[in-house]
Amino acid sequence: MTESPRPEESRPRLVVVGSGMAATRLVEELVLRGAHTTHRITVLGDEPVAPYNRILLSAVLEGTHRPEALTLRSTEWYDDHGITLHLDARVLGVDPARRDVMLVDGTLVDYDTLVLATGSIPALPPIRGLVRMDGSLHPAVHAFRSLAECERLLGAIAETDPDGRPVNRRAVVVGGGLLGLQVARALGTRGLDTEIVEGADHLLHRQIDTAAGRIIARDLKRLGVAVYTGARAVRLNDAPSSPVQSPVGAVKVVDPLPSNPGRVALRLDNGFTLDADLVVLTAGGRPSTALARGAGLEVRRGIVVDDRLTTSDPHIHAIGDCVQHDGRVTGFVPPAWEQAGVLAEVLVGEPAKYDGSRLVARLRATDLDVAVLGDAAAEIEAGGEVVEVSNPIAGSHRRLVVREGRIVAATLVGDLARVGLITQHFDRGTVLGPAEPGNLLMPERTVSAGSAARALPDDAEVCACAGVSAGRIRACSSLEEVRDTTRATTGCGGCASTVRDLLGDQALVSTAKGN
């Protein structure tokens, strides 16, 4: 039975700054606990659109998702639950003494409890010529952190000359992390001649080792995306070079179509130059801490929080990419959603604590499969032993780090058939026998996707972002119910096919029962 709302004036004021994936998850968790009937909840989002899934922006760029499909919760959903959602509401500052938030238009929003979910801001690489004298980015340069930036890039791709031929056909992606690979793959799918520039010695250097990085580079080359590692972009010039030299010394074939007059030349620190119509920046981000610093909160790399996600001010909490917990910032969806669930419990008076254990990353890009669990480098340094199986020819690399019989980290490239089972052991700290880690890395017998889904036990994890098991998926009757009640498929999207297979199986069972 739903609790009747308390009188408006008697309910404490809970204000959430941010409307990204962490903030939306927090509001959902609060609604599940009935907090929308006991609190006056206000959400302040600085973008003009309803909260959406930022992880799937590359899918919009690739053309596999429509922009409207990314919406997490509609404005009507907030209205239906009595939650005030302010869009295009940029916060200017927080006053902890007065307990209010000031917007850039001068509006004051009072709070009893404040949650900062300000996310991260893109890190601009030190490239001369990137920013013009007026502080704006060069017209050929695109950031890729918001729906508006994604739509601007799509508009640039769609530009044509008077004869209807595409104007922008060459792209350089600066940054070889998860986002960089997703964007490069999407641009390649769109038909652009795409190159990645990464300053480290291999791709995904923060998540995987050199051997796995080589396999990813080989896969990208097979898909038509050139990869240049160990080289940093240092200067952007308006006048392109001719002919163009690549960092491996090859001379590109002369373009059969007229050059784009807006084409630029991106010079690397090894002396080579890449010509491009578009330069896309994906070289990471940093926690957005300006509001917290201005409010006098403790800030190091991120906004410092304790195990109850409370800042140095007891009335202010923080979650998501802006947070530093136990000396660590993450930047991934699973820990942000875990923090949201813990904080929801804290805000309704439950004795919850965040232990920061769920470090999971997943690459979402067509024909590229990568999953990373835990911090392999740290675990190896702490005495973990490595169990590894690699097949560069087949494009697969699987590695577990095991300590005291437990999987404490894992890297899977090119073959994610057992990612659910490995994640289950990782989360539970299962003590494995001497032969089990190696057996987990051996390829499974070829089975259909539907058969593999049917074979999953109910407690096997299907959605790493939201921590959803196969049993919870089977209990749902539709994809909409899965999204609404479990949030599976609304993170990185990597579990979508398995979820559909599980739902198909359930539909068959339901039909049989009906007969």
Side-chain angles (χ1 to χ4, degrees), residues 2 55 94 105 141 209 213 215 226 242 252 260 280-281 328 337-338 343 382 410 420 428 430 454 457 471 502 506 512:
T2 303
I55 300 300
V94 175
D105 63 3
V141 176
D209 62 5
I215 289 174
S242 181
K252 285 182 177 283
N260 175 6
V280 186
L281 306 179
R328 175 186 294 165
W337 279 4
E338 185 181 9
L343 181 57
R428 295 182 176 182
T430 308
R454 284 191 291 272
L502 288 168
Q506 181 64 26

Side-chain angles (χ1 to χ4, degrees), residues 6-143:
R6 290 162 52 182
E8 180 75 16
E9 63 278 2
S10 68
R11 292 188 290 165
R13 299 161 298 187
L14 171 60
V15 175
V16 181
V17 177
S19 60
M21 298 180 72
T24 304
R25 182 71 171 188
L26 171 64
V27 175
E28 291 173 340
E29 294 285 349
L30 289 169
V31 168
L32 286 175
R33 292 165 175 79
H36 60 301
T37 65
T38 58
H39 292 69
R40 285 176 283 171
I41 303 176
T42 300
V43 179
L44 305 175
D46 63 359
E47 295 188 57
V49 295
Y52 61 89
N53 185 329
R54 198 177 303 273
I55 300 300
L56 293 180
L57 283 174
S58 60
V60 173
L61 182 63
E62 188 174 331
T64 58
H65 285 59
R66 300 185 310 276
E68 57 269 24
L70 271 59
T71 300
L72 293 172
R73 292 295 182 183
S74 67
T75 55
E76 291 77 15
W77 182 88
Y78 286 85
D79 291 340
D80 290 344
H81 291 88
I83 297 168
T84 301
L85 172 64
H86 290 300
L87 300 176
D88 210 10
R90 186 176 178 184
V91 176
L92 181 63
V94 175
D95 188 336
R98 296 169 55 92
R99 290 197 203 171
D100 63 28
V101 172
M102 177 179 282
L103 306 184
V104 291
D105 63 3
T107 301
L108 292 176
V109 182
D110 296 324
Y111 69 84
D112 296 298
T113 301
L114 179 68
V115 179
L116 297 177
T118 51
S120 63
I121 56 178
L124 288 179
I127 303 173
R128 295 184 64 183
L130 198 67
V131 180
R132 298 186 298 186
M133 293 296 292
D134 62 0
S136 63
L137 287 176
H138 187 287
V141 176
H142 295 255

Side-chain angles (χ1 to χ4, degrees), residues 145-196:
R145 302 285 290 186
S146 70
L147 183 58
E149 290 168 342
C150 178
E151 290 175 338
R152 176 175 174 255
L153 183 54
L154 283 170
I157 294 172
E159 287 181 16
T160 58
D161 64 16
D163 295 323
R165 296 177 298 188
V167 172
N168 299 309
R169 291 166 290 108
R170 291 177 177 167
V172 175
V173 176
V174 179
L178 288 166
L179 179 60
L181 268 60
Q182 290 173 175
V183 169
R185 180 67 185 115
L187 292 172
T189 301
R190 289 278 185 177
L192 277 73
D193 180 8
T194 306
E195 299 164 309
I196 298 176

